[in-house]
Amino acid sequence: MFLFQANSTALFNVADLQLIAPELILTVCACLALVMEVILPYRKSKLVAYFSLLGVGLAFVSLGLQWWSVSDSLPLDGFYGMVRIDGFALLFKGIFLVGAALAIAISTRYLDIEGEQHGEYYTLVLFATVGMMFLACGYDLISLYISLELMALTFYVLVAFTKREKRSNEAAMKYFLLGAFSSGILLYGMSLLYGIAGSTNLGEIGRSVATIASATPLGEAAGPSLRPMLLLGMIALASGLFFKIAAVPFHMWAPDAYEGAPTSVTAFLSTGSKAASFALYARIFIEALNSMRADWAPMLGLVAAITIMVGNWAAVTQENSKRLLAYSSISNAGYLLLGLVAGNSYGYTGLIIYLLVYTLMNMGAFGIVISLRRRGIIGDNVDDMAGLAQKAPGMAAMMTIFMLSLGGLPITGGFIGKYFLFGGLLQRGAAEGKTWYYWLAGWAIINTVVSFYYYIRFIKVMYLGDRIADDKPLSLSPALQIALAVSVAGIIFIGVYPQPLINLTQKLIAPLAAIGAVAVK
Amino acid sequence: MNSLPILSIVTWLPTLGALIILVLFKQGQSDQIKKFATAWFGVAFVASLALLKYDRALGGMQFLEDHQWIPVIGARYQMGADGVAVLLIVLTTLLGVIAALSSWNYIQKREKEYYVLLLLLQTAVVGVFTSMDLFLFYLFFEVSLVPMYFLIGIWGGENRLYAAIKFFLYTLVGSVVMLLGVLKIYFLTQDTALTGRITQGTIDLLAGNQQAAALVSSTLQAAAQNGTGTFNILYLQSLGSVMPMGAMQVLLFFAFALGFAIKVPMFPFHTWLPDAHVEAPTAGSVILAGVLLKLGTYGFYRFNIPMFPAASADESYFFAGTNHQFGVRSIMIFLAIVGIIYGALAAMYFVVKKDGDVKKLVAYSSVSSMGIVMLGLFALNPNGLNGAVLHMINHGIYSAALFLLVGIIYERRHTRNVAEFGGLSHVMPGYAAVFLSMVMTAIGLPLLCVFISEFLSLRGAFEANPMWAAWGALGIILNAGYMLWLYQRMFFGTIDNPKNEKLIDLSAREWIYMTPLIIMALWIGIYPKPFLSYIERPVNAVVRQVRPTYPIPGMPPGVDVQQRAAAK
């Protein structure tokens, strides 16, 4: 990075600020929200939530304007290569903003019931979103790491937000310790990469890695091969990121953190944070390490296969719905990894669509769990949904759609996402002539049947029994209902008519897919 | 193309009815709901009768519809039906009315949801038969699981939770594996080295008429414009004629076959069926036996055989290079024969078992019957295929009728235990007569429908290999054995159980829904020509696709497609 600085005349280009307009808007809103919290009386602190929603909306509008104005001239680099705006970044930012809006909408009433309605909550959510958005557009190890930490630190606080509750504190502690540990490993990998490439810019690293990876160990004049070091760096990076996306064998923190955290935070953690980590994963492994595909693809494939299995089988026995959804999110991380393993247009399309749909359906599912949290009723056991079909048919129907979509049944968005993920694997297998891609796809798809077993359990308790868990009405706020309705509508729309979304995604990720699609022997 | 999208109407009409019920009726109005739903099923049935004007002399896919849907992945909303599909659709809509009528007394809780799900199920099932796009087909095929899951799970018997999840997961295993096959075959349509060898003659043969062939070429144009492959079923079938025989084709065959074999169900994938039937409400059993099982055999007829002709006809792929002759077709035939014999023996066991369940017996007899369909299909000759397809229809008629009859007695006695009955013919003469007619149908008495189809299937099997026919015939003898034995135990003799003394004979409503089935059984049995004429041309085209040189009556001698392509 410093190398570039020497060549340029101006130190700071004001026009670059346009590139990060959505993030700037969010940051300003977050700061204002913090001030509002101090000024407003406690019972009005819900206004902060609406203000934050407004901020997310503004950021979304600015993102849309950005896409509209620069979509022909992508990618745009700024801040001396620290930030790169391309289709990939725009898509991910869109997903984060949708996730943040839903997270805020499902939080308002929940925090009331928990007695923790503080404005800081929304500030933290906004800051986490800013971190995620920079993760999507960072193009330099330093900017990426800082954004990752911004996101992670806010989440440590958010997980502990119900500070009077033991479980929440315990979860935060576990999450913090393991998260800090994984950040360390990640940083170690980054430092190795910097040592090899002599630059923190991903593009530069990509070029150096390409020369090292292609050099044969024998017949080299310039000293010992750097390949072992490169492999070590790659493995350290991959492991650090496995922590972040909760892939096996680094998934242990997820069930505890998800169960203990306030449900609204769990919802955001399992969607936004996971999506952001995938953005980072894709960025580093595609832009910087693509020439090492032959090394990392089998590793990611193996981890994906194990993650899918462990997540699904462990979820089968869970009684607590938050814990169950935590294991389901572990297995979903495995499915998402398949997109990276495939690494072609289908794979990336699948990754992005599945992340978007996953955000919608997981938010929705947690939204239903939240509506079961009432005064005096925790409501986070699967059994608490018994008879929901008779008590609240609309909610039960929506939960059914979320569950079927999580499993990947056709006419829901989940099917479209999985369709592309599996299609990408088959395509890659045919392109490289390797059969293990087919076996991986077969393994993953057979495991979806297992996942249906536990998703169906929700449907079973809601519909098939005659017993009703309790007569108390659900705690619903207009914001929560709107969030759920939007999620259902999105899932069904993507499932029935995915054309616009696929078209947009494929167009925006085309450059990235072109890098990934180069077959490596 | 037709001005009126009749296939879409028949497919989506039930969904419209479901929406009307959801919006306009309240949970308490069960009386109005059931009348409205039944009337709506009647409307759907009448609408489907318009399909009978299918041009039998022309053959091929008709009533075509084509709309853009998801061009980026080459999926289109394409509908079309050949004679086989037409008959199955009409059967489905007819059974829909009957299922609704038979539920009036049987279903006593949550009626609104019940009829909504029944209607949605009909859309999913009819959609499977009407789709001419593999992607669309797959959606309908898999979505059909959901309403059935609820029907078994909410209104089923005591063990319904177990049966419902078993049904769902079992059939899901097959369809998810099929998804990989769907994806792979889609990518193959982008393989120009392969598609370049497809001749127009093959497409014309499978399309059967000018319009359908024109639809294929316009689909191909659209796909080429977007740079995608295509899911058009006719084109995929044509692709089969040039697909090299090898590991890929065999694996693809099994990826599809697993999905369909579980649906059929073929031995050893049949274990979900008895559970599902025993627990399902009567209407659920009727739809399950009458229609859902046909999704599997229809899948073999529509996809496996024409799409993977080399694998379907293969008898030497495994143990290649040794003396053993064993291939894909051998597996299918073997499983079909085991299914025939095993199903019949298992059914017989339930006649003599102390607490033998009549419904379980009929369920196992379905396993046996579907074995005959599979045997006929994989005989791969005109007689076998015609017989198998007709047997799908016939099985839909008589097994639906038997389940209805079992449901009728269950409503009166709340048991289905064979040992509980005896001498019923004295108190319920009408019921006994109807039951007898259906038992006679099931065992294949001449002049009743099953005779024709079993005869044709076995004749086809005989032409292929006399041993196969011999095993199949053994199954039919066993069939007759347990059916007559069952009838004897339930209806003859004296009434030794006092609970059976005051049973009421069939009511008017029950006569109304049994009569059409009896008429159909007789009609097909006495004069099957109209029905065979619907299926003959499409079925013969499939035979020609699989075995280009096999002599087919009424068709000019064929040329080997592979040779033709090579000559070109």
Side-chain angles (χ1 to χ4, degrees):
Chain A
M1 165 185 89
F2 298 103
L3 293 174
F4 295 115
Q5 215 165 349
N7 298 337
S8 52
T9 46
L11 279 175
F12 179 72
N13 190 350
V14 182
D16 280 354
L17 288 178
Q18 279 179 15
L19 296 180
I20 56 164
E23 289 89 338
L24 284 179
I25 291 174
L26 270 191
T27 313
V28 169
C29 285
C31 297
L32 285 178
L34 206 56
V35 177
M36 276 174 80
E37 153 69 6
V38 181
I39 296 170
L40 289 173
Y42 178 75
R43 63 197 158 77
K44 289 227 171 120
S45 52
K46 227 182 240 180
L47 281 179
V48 184
Y50 300 126
F51 177 74
S52 311
L53 266 181
L54 180 74
V56 174
L58 285 177
F60 203 87
V61 170
S62 114
L63 187 71
L65 286 176
Q66 202 173 45
W67 172 71
W68 183 66
S69 58
V70 301
S71 62
D72 305 328
S73 52
L74 295 174
L76 291 172
D77 286 329
F79 301 101
Y80 310 107
M82 293 282 264
V83 163
R84 166 173 279 196
I85 305 293
D86 54 2
F88 175 84
L90 290 176
L91 280 170
F92 266 98
K93 286 182 187 181
I95 295 177
F96 301 147
L97 288 173
V98 169
L102 290 176
I104 294 171
I106 65 174
S107 301
T108 50
R109 175 118 172 94
Y110 177 75
L111 292 179
D112 270 344
I113 290 175
E114 292 285 347
E116 297 282 357
Q117 186 68 268
H118 303 296
E120 300 99 274
Y121 178 88
Y122 305 104
T123 310
L124 287 169
V125 169
L126 291 185
F127 273 127
T129 313
V130 172
M132 292 171 195
M133 290 171 80
F134 274 120
L135 268 180
C137 65
Y139 202 65
D140 187 290
L141 291 181
I142 293 183
S143 57
L144 285 173
Y145 185 74
I146 293 174
S147 349
L148 184 70
E149 284 306 286
L150 174 60
M151 178 185 85
L153 284 172
T154 46
F155 267 117
Y156 302 144
V157 183
L158 279 173
V159 169
F161 203 76
T162 45
K163 52 186 175 291
R164 279 183 287 266
E165 202 174 319
K166 235 192 217 161
R167 280 202 306 176
S168 172
N169 285 310
E170 182 195 328
M173 202 62 194
K174 278 182 185 156
Y175 182 41
F176 170 70
L177 286 176
L178 286 171
F181 185 53
S182 70
S183 294
I185 296 178
L186 192 69
L187 202 54
Y188 180 56
M190 285 180 173
S191 68
L192 283 174
L193 270 196
Y194 172 68
I196 292 164
S199 166
T200 51
N201 181 283
L202 291 187
E204 285 293 306
I205 297 175
R207 280 184 283 278
S208 323
V209 169
T211 45
I212 295 168
S214 62
T216 45
L218 292 173
E220 240 187 318
S225 167
L226 288 170
R227 227 181 108 76
M229 199 165 138
L230 196 54
L231 278 178
L232 185 64
M234 186 266 284
I235 291 173
L237 276 172
S239 317
L241 287 166
F242 286 148
F243 263 111
K244 299 285 175 201
I245 62 169
V248 177
F250 305 110
H251 66 290
M252 300 297 185
W253 60 271
D256 290 333
Y258 283 22
E259 190 189 353
T263 313
S264 54
V265 175
T266 310
F268 196 36
L269 182 63
S270 68
T271 54
S273 156
K274 182 160 289 191
S277 307
F278 265 102
L280 178 60
Y281 224 127
R283 248 320 170 213
I284 293 183
F285 276 73
I286 299 161
E287 303 263 5
L289 297 175
N290 189 57
S291 37
M292 294 179 71
R293 230 198 104 74
D295 297 309
W296 58 254
M299 182 180 77
L300 289 197
L302 185 68
V303 169
I306 299 172
T307 306
I308 288 169
M309 182 188 71
V310 171
N312 277 331
W313 287 93
V316 165
T317 57
Q318 300 306 319
E319 290 301 328
N320 180 295
S321 39
K322 279 162 83 178
R323 221 175 156 79
L324 191 155
L325 287 171
Y327 280 109
S328 126
S329 103
I330 291 172
S331 79
N332 274 308
Y335 286 109
L336 288 162
L337 273 176
L338 298 181
L340 291 179
V341 175
N344 44 25
S345 173
Y346 258 63
Y348 295 143
T349 309
L351 178 71
I352 302 228
I353 292 182
Y354 199 72
L355 269 173
L356 175 63
V357 175
Y358 176 73
T359 305
L360 293 177
M361 58 201 183
N362 235 29
M363 282 287 179
F366 279 113
I368 303 277
V369 176
I370 281 179
S371 73
L372 290 168
R373 171 80 172 98
R374 286 144 292 172
R375 292 202 192 286
I377 301 175
I378 305 223
D380 64 358
N381 273 331
V382 179
D383 246 13
D384 291 321
M385 296 202 183
L388 201 65
Q390 280 141 59
K391 197 167 63 179
M395 289 284 142
M398 286 201 265
M399 186 68 180
T400 306
I401 291 172
F402 296 138
M403 287 301 120
L404 293 179
S405 177
L406 275 167
L409 203 83
I411 74 159
T412 62
F415 172 72
I416 301 294
K418 287 209 167 100
Y419 177 85
F420 276 97
L421 290 172
F422 296 136
L425 276 184
L426 294 191
Q427 226 175 12
R428 171 67 70 172
E432 289 190 8
K434 287 184 185 151
T435 47
W436 66 265
Y437 288 102
Y438 292 97
W439 291 113
L440 181 60
W443 175 251
I445 210 163
I446 283 291
N447 269 285
T448 60
V449 179
V450 181
S451 75
F452 265 105
Y453 179 78
Y454 58 83
Y455 292 133
I456 286 277
R457 263 184 58 202
F458 284 104
I459 299 173
K460 188 177 87 181
V461 297
M462 287 190 304
Y463 281 92
L464 303 199
D466 296 322
R467 192 174 65 83
I468 298 181
D470 58 75
D471 306 331
K472 277 187 130 186
L474 301 184
S475 67
L476 296 169
S477 63
L480 176 62
Q481 277 167 315
I482 291 171
L484 290 177
V486 166
S487 303
V488 165
I491 289 170
I492 296 289
F493 181 76
I494 295 173
V496 173
Y497 189 60
Q499 164 74 12
L501 181 65
I502 301 172
N503 212 359
L504 179 74
T505 312
Q506 282 192 337
K507 209 184 288 166
L508 287 180
I509 55 145
L512 216 61
I515 302 176
V518 177
V520 180
K521 270 137 239 130
Chain B
M1 317 259 153
N2 259 325
S3 50
L4 201 64
I6 180 76
L7 284 175
S8 286
I9 292 174
V10 174
T11 309
W12 296 108
L13 210 54
T15 302
L16 182 65
L19 289 177
I20 292 176
I21 292 182
L22 266 182
V23 175
L24 293 187
F25 291 91
K26 294 195 178 58
Q27 181 69 54
Q29 300 169 295
S30 50
D31 221 42
Q32 289 98 313
I33 289 175
K34 68 189 180 194
K35 279 179 187 148
F36 176 81
T38 311
W40 197 270
F41 273 114
V43 171
F45 173 62
V46 172
S48 75
L49 287 181
L51 293 175
L52 291 178
K53 71 166 200 264
Y54 175 85
D55 190 340
R56 289 170 270 178
L58 192 62
M61 288 285 187
Q62 297 180 17
F63 314 107
L64 304 170
E65 290 169 37
D66 181 23
H67 301 282
Q68 188 144 305
W69 181 28
I70 321 177
V72 277
I73 57 168
R76 298 178 74 82
Y77 180 83
Q78 287 185 329
M79 289 204 157
D82 62 2
V84 178
V86 164
L87 289 189
L88 285 168
I89 293 166
V90 176
L91 174 73
T92 309
T93 52
L94 173 67
L95 289 180
V97 185
I98 292 174
L101 260 180
S102 74
S103 313
W104 281 25
N105 287 347
Y106 194 93
I107 301 302
Q108 298 286 359
K109 62 169 184 181
R110 294 160 83 175
E111 285 90 348
K112 185 176 164 184
E113 287 153 281
Y114 178 82
Y115 288 100
V116 166
L117 287 167
L118 214 52
L119 284 162
L120 290 179
L121 181 63
Q122 178 149 331
T123 288
V125 173
V126 173
V128 167
F129 296 132
T130 55
S131 310
M132 222 171 78
D133 181 284
L134 183 58
F135 194 81
L136 187 64
F137 165 88
Y138 187 79
L139 296 199
F140 283 123
F141 187 76
E142 207 165 313
V143 166
S144 69
L145 292 181
V146 179
M148 199 63 210
Y149 168 79
F150 283 114
L151 286 179
I152 298 175
I154 301 181
W155 296 276
E158 268 173 28
N159 211 2
R160 59 180 191 268
L161 297 184
Y162 169 76
I165 192 83
K166 189 170 178 182
F167 162 78
F168 192 91
L169 294 183
Y170 244 78
T171 36
L172 194 70
V173 171
S175 46
V176 296
V177 172
M178 194 165 95
L179 177 62
L180 290 184
V182 171
L183 275 160
K184 182 65 199 172
I185 198 140
Y186 167 76
F187 290 134
L188 284 182
T189 62
Q190 290 175 301
D191 184 350
T192 44
L194 207 59
T195 54
R197 287 164 48 210
I198 297 175
T199 59
Q200 190 58 40
T202 317
I203 295 177
D204 289 343
L205 168 74
L206 289 161
N209 60 48
Q210 291 284 313
Q211 279 189 336
L215 181 75
V216 175
S217 49
S218 74
T219 309
L220 285 180
Q221 266 172 15
Q225 256 174 24
N226 295 319
T228 59
T230 173
F231 282 108
N232 182 286
I233 288 175
L234 293 174
Y235 189 67
L236 296 179
Q237 292 177 340
S238 320
L239 185 70
S241 63
V242 295
M243 201 188 290
M245 177 61 190
M248 188 177 70
Q249 183 166 165
V250 171
L251 279 175
L252 276 174
F253 179 92
F254 282 116
F256 277 81
L258 183 67
F260 296 135
I262 292 176
K263 252 314 195 279
V264 168
M266 289 184 85
F267 182 87
F269 307 113
H270 66 282
T271 60
W272 62 270
L273 184 75
D275 286 310
H277 267 311
V278 167
E279 302 304 331
T282 301
S285 286
V286 168
I287 303 287
L288 192 59
V291 188
L292 279 188
L293 304 191
K294 274 69 196 183
L295 301 191
T297 45
Y298 175 80
F300 275 106
Y301 158 75
R302 172 71 73 226
F303 297 100
N304 270 64
I305 294 179
M307 248 156 68
F308 315 112
S312 302
D314 162 74
E315 290 193 68
S316 57
Y317 180 73
F318 304 107
F319 311 113
T322 62
N323 297 341
H324 302 287
Q325 288 282 309
F326 200 71
V328 178
R329 185 187 181 195
S330 327
I331 295 182
M332 301 311 291
I333 294 282
F334 176 73
L335 293 182
I337 290 175
V338 172
I340 295 173
I341 308 277
Y342 173 82
L345 288 176
M348 192 173 278
Y349 168 67
F350 283 99
V351 185
V352 289
K353 194 173 174 244
K354 204 161 147 244
D355 51 348
D357 188 329
V358 189
K359 228 174 170 184
K360 219 163 195 166
L361 180 148
V362 183
Y364 274 109
S365 94
S366 287
V367 174
S368 177
S369 234
M370 296 321 270
I372 290 182
V373 174
M374 295 306 298
L375 185 65
L377 283 179
F378 278 86
L380 297 179
N381 48 36
N383 278 330
L385 252 84
N386 276 303
V389 171
L390 191 63
H391 200 58
M392 290 186 212
I393 314 283
N394 291 345
H395 176 261
I397 293 168
Y398 84 78
S399 72
L402 283 174
F403 279 118
L404 286 167
L405 290 165
V406 176
I408 289 171
I409 196 76
Y410 182 77
E411 271 178 39
R412 289 168 173 57
R413 284 280 278 105
H414 295 283
T415 177
R416 294 183 298 255
N417 190 340
V418 183
E420 288 273 325
F421 303 112
L424 288 183
S425 59
H426 303 297
V427 282
M428 303 173 74
Y431 179 74
V434 175
F435 206 110
L436 182 67
S437 72
M438 283 305 146
V439 161
M440 288 304 161
T441 310
I443 65 180
L445 195 75
L447 291 186
L448 287 166
C449 61
V450 172
F451 172 73
I452 310 286
S453 54
E454 279 185 349
F455 176 77
L456 279 174
S457 302
L458 289 182
R459 187 175 155 187
F462 188 86
E463 283 165 27
N465 185 339
M467 272 313 284
W468 299 349
W471 284 106
L474 175 64
I476 290 172
I477 295 169
L478 291 173
N479 243 337
Y482 68 78
M483 277 294 179
L484 292 175
W485 198 358
L486 170 79
Y487 194 77
Q488 183 194 351
R489 287 199 59 182
M490 277 180 75
F491 291 91
F492 293 154
T494 50
I495 304 177
D496 34 20
N497 190 338
K499 285 185 200 152
N500 292 337
E501 276 165 7
K502 294 220 173 78
L503 291 179
I504 314 155
D505 207 357
L506 296 182
S507 71
R509 183 172 55 86
E510 286 157 353
W511 274 111
I512 289 174
Y513 65 68
M514 290 309 300
T515 314
L517 296 175
I518 301 170
I519 292 175
M520 290 307 293
L522 271 170
W523 186 2
I524 301 181
I526 295 170
Y527 190 58
K529 194 160 178 295
F531 298 91
L532 282 170
S533 68
Y534 275 99
I535 57 185
E536 208 167 2
R537 287 187 68 95
V539 161
N540 287 350
V542 170
V543 176
R544 171 66 32 103
Q545 153 86 344
V546 184
R547 303 165 96 181
T549 50
Y550 199 88
I552 295 171
M555 268 175 107
V559 192
D560 194 317
V561 187
Q562 303 266 4
Q563 283 172 10
R564 198 163 52 195
K568 189 178 163 229

